[in-house]
Amino acid sequence: MAEDTPNPDNSTTASKPKSKKYRKDKPWDNEDIDHWKIEPFTQEDNPLPFTEESSFATLFPKYRENYLKEVWPHVTKALEKLGIKCLLDLIEGSMTVKTTRKTFDPYIILKARDLIKLLARSVPFPQAVKILDDGVACDIIKIGSIIRNKERFVKRRQRLIGPDGSTLKAVELLTQCYVMVQGNTVSAMGPYKGLKEVRRIVIDCLKNIHPIYHIKELMIKRELSKDPKLKNESWDRFLPHFKKQNIKRPKKQNIKKKEYTPFPPPQTPSKIDLQLESGEYFLKPQEKIAHEMEKKKEKQKENALKRKAEREKAFVPP
C-alpha cells in the first residue's frame, strides 16, 4: 500500500471554515485596491458605433438668444470631443443634441441633454460644462406652481437667496453644489447627496420653512461626520427639533355694511364756499388780515389756558 503523502495546505484548511474550504485567494482581495473607484469610460471599452441615433431638444427663452449665439462655438467644441453633435435653431428657439458614429459613451447623451437644459435656465457656460464630468449631476427644481399668490412667491424666493445672496452661498458651501435661482426654477449642480439636500431646502422654503433651520442642521451633521466614534450611531439626539408656533392674530372686526343708495354723497364744500357762508369772502384785504390775527390770538389764549391747567395739576393735593 502506498504511504499517505503529507498535505502542505493542512494548516490553512484547518483554520478556514467549511464553506471556504476550497476557495483560493483572488488577485482583487488586496486591501490596496479601492473597490468603490469608478474607472473612466474610454473608447477602448466600446469601439463599435451605436445602431440607433438618440437625440434630445429643449426650448430656450428669447432673452438667452444673444448669449447662446456667443457661447455656441465653445459648446460645439466641448461636445465634439465626446462625439456629440449639437444644433442651435434661432427661428424655433431650440437647442438639440444628437449621437453620431463617433460616440462611444452611451450615457454622455444624457449629460449633453442636461447641459442644454442648464444653458436654457441662465446657467453660465463655464459652470454648465462641468456637467459633462463624472460624479456631477444636475437637478432643475420647478417652484412656480407651489404658491399661487405672486407676491408671496416673490418674497419666499428672495428669502431663499437672502441678503446679498448670503443664504444661497451658505447652502452652496454646505451641500457642495452650485445653485442658481432664475424665474420659476432653481437649477442645482453637484453630487447626488448634495442635490437631495438642495431640493429639500428649496421646497421647504417655498412652504414657509426658513432655510436657516436646514443650514443649522447641515452644519451640525458636518461636524458630527468628522467624529469617527459617532459615524455608525444615530444623530437624532444632536439635531435641533424646531416646534411650529402658531402666532395669534387679532380677530377681524365685523364691518357693518352700509345701506345701498342710488344717489351719490353730497359734495364737500370748498374753502371759498365756507368763506361765502361766513361772509369773510366779501371783506377787504386789511379786514381779512385783522380777522386772521383775531383767530390766532383766540387760539393762543386757548393753548395758554390748557398749559396753565396742566401746570396746576402738579400742585393739587392728593
Side-chain angles (χ1 to χ4, degrees), residues 238-291:
F238 300 108
L239 298 175
H241 298 285
F242 302 105
K243 289 180 181 178
K244 194 176 181 183
Q245 292 180 345
N246 292 324
I247 300 160
K248 288 183 180 179
R249 291 189 177 90
K251 289 181 181 179
K252 288 182 180 178
Q253 293 177 350
N254 294 326
I255 300 160
K256 290 179 182 178
K257 287 184 179 180
K258 291 179 182 178
E259 289 182 9
Y260 173 73
T261 53
F263 306 105
Q267 193 176 354
T268 52
S270 65
K271 195 178 179 181
I272 295 164
D273 292 336
L274 293 167
Q275 284 178 353
L276 285 164
E277 279 180 20
S278 61
E280 196 182 331
Y281 184 79
F282 304 104
L283 294 172
K284 290 175 185 178
Q286 289 177 354
E287 289 174 348
K288 278 183 183 179
I289 292 161
H291 188 68

Side-chain angles (χ1 to χ4, degrees), residues 96-208:
T96 313
V97 285
K98 297 176 183 178
T99 54
T100 61
R101 300 279 295 173
K102 292 178 182 178
T103 313
F104 59 89
D105 188 354
Y107 190 72
I108 202 69
I109 187 66
L110 299 174
K111 290 269 189 182
R113 175 202 65 183
D114 292 341
L115 172 65
I116 58 171
K117 271 188 182 180
L118 290 166
L119 288 170
R121 294 312 314 143
S122 296
V123 177
F125 172 72
Q127 179 63 39
V129 79
K130 289 176 187 175
I131 196 71
L132 300 173
D133 300 336
D134 289 334
V136 181
C138 81
D139 187 11
I140 294 165
I141 307 152
K142 292 178 182 178
I143 56 172
S145 58
I146 295 170
I147 302 170
R148 287 185 180 181
N149 191 327
K150 186 76 182 284
E151 288 177 14
R152 200 175 288 171
F153 168 74
V154 172
K155 278 182 183 177
R156 289 184 189 174
R157 186 180 63 182
Q158 187 57 40
R159 187 187 290 170
L160 180 66
I161 298 162
D164 300 324
S166 58
T167 309
L168 201 66
K169 191 72 184 169
V171 171
E172 284 181 346
L173 288 166
L174 290 164
T175 57
Q176 295 178 345
C177 291
Y178 170 84
V179 186
M180 174 87 179
V181 181
Q182 175 69 22
N184 291 334
T185 58
V186 176
S187 307
M189 279 177 68
Y192 290 102
K193 193 180 178 183
L195 291 174
K196 196 178 176 182
E197 292 292 343
V198 170
R199 177 171 274 274
R200 189 163 68 101
I201 292 164
V202 169
I203 290 166
D204 281 358
C205 181
L206 270 290
K207 288 180 177 177
N208 205 20

